[in-house]
């Protein structure tokens, strides 16, 4: 019998173009996703060296980071406009398919890849964006790259990559009622820190992971980079295959059945060994809220803001102190006492139809708190349409939310969706870094459900108590 | 890119861990389509108030660090976003070497592609370098051939770096040109898998 292998090793070995002693592996790339912010200098590099895109048919582009989510036909920011126009020109010149701002398939790159059926198990997928790890939910090796690497993939359809170490993140038991995939990944990062995944590809395993829907799996894999891992994936199963079935770029008929057999064989073999394993009990995970300036600075909603003394080293204590000052929080204050001004539901972490449904279920028939400016930004045009078809837009609008067009929006505030200095936002996005949502803005990462309640109450309330109350 | 074999320069100590690329170059400067000119925006929100006046309490604004070329920082430097604008900004400001106990994976690769040498030393060693650089003008020599970091006094450390990154940095190679020497391998792979 052959030695049991992880899905990571299986995919890696299948994509080896060249191996040489003392060098990284030359790895073939099956799908290259492109957006407007990290690609212009790469296309320019091709032009300067008289190179072309080797496989335009394996390359797919969209506009998401810069696009306005309101009044889309007038882009006021000239620099943003130029960046979008540059992408259009580049895609034209190099023959790359583009879902531009007016295209019906436009959306956040990590939302539309799976939605269009471009993301499959076993693929190697890259994009000039660190949240490319999202696609790992399908059992693909998917990771973010810099612009030089974008240029390299455009020119050669390959990348030099050191063979990764493998890390098993084993999630035992089941998540409790009201506890989401977002809470799970935040709890994992809170427990093991923002760098435990550095140098590894993570595989998420265990019963709780098997029970997650595809969209929930995407939320988990999306934030692998927040744990330091460039890629995080989940072995494919029936849930994966059913999601892909019928998608536009998915194999059809007999080809689909054949593909499923191949995909099934990718799953990690019984007894395969990882370079490292960490575990967490899903049953113990509570709804999470970040209090600080990185995603590991996170506690359950029932907890209090930590004290600098809780840091283990001098540097850690200083880091907590700095975060408290930036966030304008008192050590020891309860999470539920934090007053909010903004709520953002969106981003490649939590802007899919199921996220919007869960948030809508909470706000239905209620009113946004008078102190709150609340925004829902669907992840793609097709998510927006599907949500509107079931009336979710009206649920949000009658509650007092703004209902916007698709894009990255307030996750990184490159467009006009910016939190003003000193103000505070409950956000379903992935990063609570200083200034992420606006200069001197303060971000608290939460699940869509927790964000929805925060919009109604103006502060953080445990979703489990909220949903137990009679309506 | 510019080759780097040995570099001597002044140290700027940034005693913070988990410095993310949003801090190194905030998003409002990512809209440009050029590769040059990002140095003025390096650590922008730490260096400047919103009206553009310099924050006096941020050390990189001190006159003595304006010609620093070696950045020494805490763990997990360059975490977060994959934006290559971060190494572009560091390089344009004048930094050729970054020393830290650990780097984020994507940022590390981005440095190597831009002729910036990322040097991994222990927590104690980086802390020692930061202490010395905070006390006085502190030049350091980094020798990539020998894989050593040393000062004019008694500091001497060896660092590890993979052969491939070392070779790329020393020679300042265009990686795409290197890869294209393997074009027959890529053709062969595509023939077998894509049938083209």
């Amino acid at each position: 019998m052959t030695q049991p292998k992880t899905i990571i090793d299986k995919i890696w070995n299948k994509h080896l173009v060249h191996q040489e002693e003392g060098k990284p592996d030359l790895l073939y790339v099956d799908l290259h996703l492109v957006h407007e912010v990290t690609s212009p200098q790469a296309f320019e590099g091709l032009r300067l060296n008289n190179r072309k895109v080797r496989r335009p048919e394996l390359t797919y582009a969209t506009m998401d980071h810069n696009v306005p989510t309101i009044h889309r036909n007038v882009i006021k920011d000239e620099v943003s406009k130029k960046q979008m126009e540059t992408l259009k020109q580049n895609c034209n010149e190099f023959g790359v398919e583009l879902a531009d701002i007016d295209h019906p398939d436009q959306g956040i790159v990590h939302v539309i890849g799976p939605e269009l059926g471009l993301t499959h198990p076993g693929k190697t997928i890259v994009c000039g964006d660190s949240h490319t790890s999202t696609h790992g939910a399908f059992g693909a090796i998917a990771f973010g790259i810099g612009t030089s690497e974008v240029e390299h993939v455009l020119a050669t359809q390959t990348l030099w990559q050191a063979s990764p170490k493998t890390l098993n993140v084993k999630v035992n038991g089941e998540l409790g009622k009201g506890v989401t995939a977002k809470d799970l990944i935040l709890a994992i990062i809170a427990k093991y820190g923002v760098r435990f995944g550095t140098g590894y590809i993570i595989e998420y395993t265990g019963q709780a992971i098997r029970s997650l829907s595809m969209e929930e799996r995407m939320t988990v894999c999306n934030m692998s980079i927040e744990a330091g891992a460039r890629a995080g994936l989940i072995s494919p199963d029936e849930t994966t295959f059913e999601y892909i079935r019928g998608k536009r770029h998915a194999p059809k008929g007999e080809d689909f059945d054949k593909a499923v057999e191949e995909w099934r064989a990718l799953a990690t073999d019984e007894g395969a060994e990882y370079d490292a394993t960490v575990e967490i009990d899903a049953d113990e995970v509570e709804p999470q809220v970040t209090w600080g300036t990185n995603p590991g600075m996170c506690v359950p909603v029932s907890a209090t803001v930590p004290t600098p003394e809780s840091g283990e080293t001098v540097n850690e204590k200083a880091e907590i102190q700095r975060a408290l000052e930036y966030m304008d929080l008192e050590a020891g204050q309860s999470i539920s006492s934090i007053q909010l001004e903004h709520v953002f539901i969106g981003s490649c972490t939590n802007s899919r139809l199921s996220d919007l449904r869960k948030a809508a279920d909470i706000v239905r028939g209620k009113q946004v708190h008078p102190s709150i400016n609340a925004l829902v930004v669907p992840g793609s045009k097709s998510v927006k349409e599907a949500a509107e078809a079931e009336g979710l837009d009206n649920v949000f609008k009658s509650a007092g939310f703004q209902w916007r067009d698709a894009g990255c929006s307030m996750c990184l505030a490159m467009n006009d969706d910016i939190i003003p200095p000193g103000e505070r936002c409950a956000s379903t996005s992935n990063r609570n870094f200083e200034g992420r949502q606006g200069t001197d803005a303060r971000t608290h990462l939460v699940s869509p459900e927790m964000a929805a309640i925060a919009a109604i109450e103006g502060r953080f309330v445990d979703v489990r108590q909220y949903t137990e109350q009679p309506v | 890119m510019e080759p780097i074999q040995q570099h001597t320069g002044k140290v700027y100590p940034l005693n913070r861990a988990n410095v993310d690329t949003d801090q190194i170059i905030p998003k409002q400067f990512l809209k440009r389509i050029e590769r040059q000119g990002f140095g003025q925006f390096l650590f922008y929100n730490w260096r400047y108030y919103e009206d553009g006046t310099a924050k006096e309490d941020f050390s990189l604004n001190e006159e003595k660090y304006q010609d620093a070329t070696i950045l020494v920082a805490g763990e997990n430097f360059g975490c977060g976003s994959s934006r290559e604008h971060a190494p572009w900004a560091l390089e344009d400001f004048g930094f050729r070497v970054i020393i830290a106990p650990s780097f984020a994976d994507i940022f590390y690769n981005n440095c190597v592609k831009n002729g910036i040498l990322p040097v991994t030393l222990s927590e104690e060693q980086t802390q020692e370098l930061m202490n010395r650089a905070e006390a006085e003008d502190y030049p350091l020599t980094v020798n990539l051939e020998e894989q050593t970091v040393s000062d004019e006094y008694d500091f001497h450390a060896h660092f590890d770096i993979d052969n491939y990154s070392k070779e790329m940095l020393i020679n300042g190679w265009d990686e795409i040109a290197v890869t294209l020497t393997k074009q027959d391998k890529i053709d062969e792979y595509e023939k077998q898998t894509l049938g083209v």
Side-chain angles (χ1 to χ4, degrees), chain A residues 217-237:
Chain A
R217 292 180 189 186
M218 284 188 248
T219 300
V220 171
C221 290
N222 173 272
M223 290 189 69
S224 302
I225 184 67
E226 270 35 270
R230 288 178 78 180
L233 52 66
I234 293 170
S235 282
D237 58 15

Side-chain angles (χ1 to χ4, degrees), chain A residues 105-171:
Chain A
D105 295 332
Q106 181 267 340
I108 304 176
V109 65
H110 310 309
V111 175
I112 66 173
E115 189 172 85
L116 294 170
L118 291 165
T119 304
H120 298 173
K123 277 192 178 180
T124 46
I125 302 174
V126 300
C127 174
D129 190 285
S130 61
H131 292 111
T132 308
S133 58
T134 312
H135 305 263
F138 291 80
I141 292 185
F143 54 91
I145 56 179
T147 298
S148 294
E149 290 177 310
V150 169
E151 185 180 339
H152 192 276
V153 177
L154 289 172
T156 70
Q157 204 58 36
T158 64
L159 272 179
W160 295 97
Q161 292 291 307
S163 166
K165 293 183 288 175
T166 56
L167 171 60
N168 179 11
V169 174
K170 193 165 177 240
V171 187

Side-chain angles (χ1 to χ4, degrees), chain A residues 28 54 77 148 152 319 435, chain B residues 18 27 31 84 179 187 190:
Chain A
Y28 198 76
R54 183 178 174 94
D77 185 335
S148 294
H152 192 276
E319 208 182 343
Chain B
N18 303 314
K27 75 269 175 168
K31 298 175 183 178
E84 198 163 312
T179 308
D187 291 341
E190 288 185 335

Side-chain angles (χ1 to χ4, degrees), chain B residues 51-116:
Chain B
D51 64 3
T53 54
K55 293 182 181 176
E56 280 175 14
D57 60 349
F58 188 64
S59 55
L60 189 58
N61 285 334
E62 290 174 33
E63 192 53 42
K64 62 177 178 179
Y65 293 129
Q66 294 317 301
D67 55 347
T69 58
I70 300 175
L71 174 67
V72 182
E75 272 195 279
N76 199 27
F77 190 82
C79 59
S81 158
S82 63
R83 58 188 72 167
E84 198 163 312
H85 310 68
W88 293 339
L90 287 160
E91 198 263 346
D92 191 51
F93 189 89
F95 289 112
R96 291 305 310 279
V97 177
I98 303 170
I99 302 175
S102 60
F103 293 89
D105 291 337
I106 304 176
F107 177 81
Y108 186 96
N109 283 348
N110 285 343
C111 283
V112 172
K113 315 286 181 204
N114 286 281
I116 297 176

